[in-house]
Amino acid sequence: MIPGGGQPNMQQLLQQAQKMQQDLARAQEELANTEVDGQAGGGLVRATVTGSGELRALKIDPKAVDPEDTETLADLVVAAVQAANANAQALQQQKLGPLAQGLGGGSGIPGLPF
């Protein structure tokens, strides 16, 4: 609610938008520097990705390697990377979700994107 029914304080709105932008940039940087893991085959294959989804490491237990069955190993690798990416998306929701909600109507003024 705007006191006195006047126009919103544009300086205050710009400051709020700038703070949200800074918070978003800080959260994105934090995601890029945070690593999360995913695994498949009971831990035979482990993938590590950043919170922003960049694949950083892949560990394969020698027990998962069968020269006669490379398809299973490939499936395990894909599943581990998918699990790691799902964990990264959950982390993104945790870090960026509150900021996105603030951007979606934090000012309370219809028509403004912040």
Side-chain angles (χ1 to χ4, degrees):
M1 179 170 265
I2 302 168
Q7 292 296 316
N9 181 332
M10 291 307 289
Q11 182 68 23
Q12 185 179 6
L13 289 176
L14 291 173
Q15 287 174 348
Q16 287 176 341
Q18 185 176 26
K19 182 183 180 318
M20 284 186 208
Q21 187 176 26
Q22 289 169 348
D23 290 346
L24 180 61
R26 189 173 14 249
Q28 288 173 327
E29 182 179 340
E30 197 174 313
L31 283 170
N33 293 322
T34 302
E35 293 184 346
V36 294
D37 292 321
Q39 61 176 325
L44 289 175
V45 177
R46 294 179 182 270
T48 302
V49 299
T50 64
S52 57
E54 178 187 344
L55 182 62
R56 287 275 174 94
L58 186 62
K59 294 181 183 178
I60 301 172
D61 187 305
K63 294 179 216 159
V65 180
D66 178 357
E68 302 297 316
D69 183 16
T70 58
E71 285 183 32
T72 297
L73 177 57
D75 289 344
L76 290 173
V77 169
V78 169
V81 172
Q82 287 175 337
N85 279 329
N87 290 337
Q89 288 178 348
L91 183 62
Q92 289 172 10
Q93 285 291 343
Q94 179 184 1
K95 296 280 183 194
L96 300 178
L99 293 173
Q101 289 173 356
L103 292 171
S107 69
I109 300 171
L112 289 181
F114 49 86

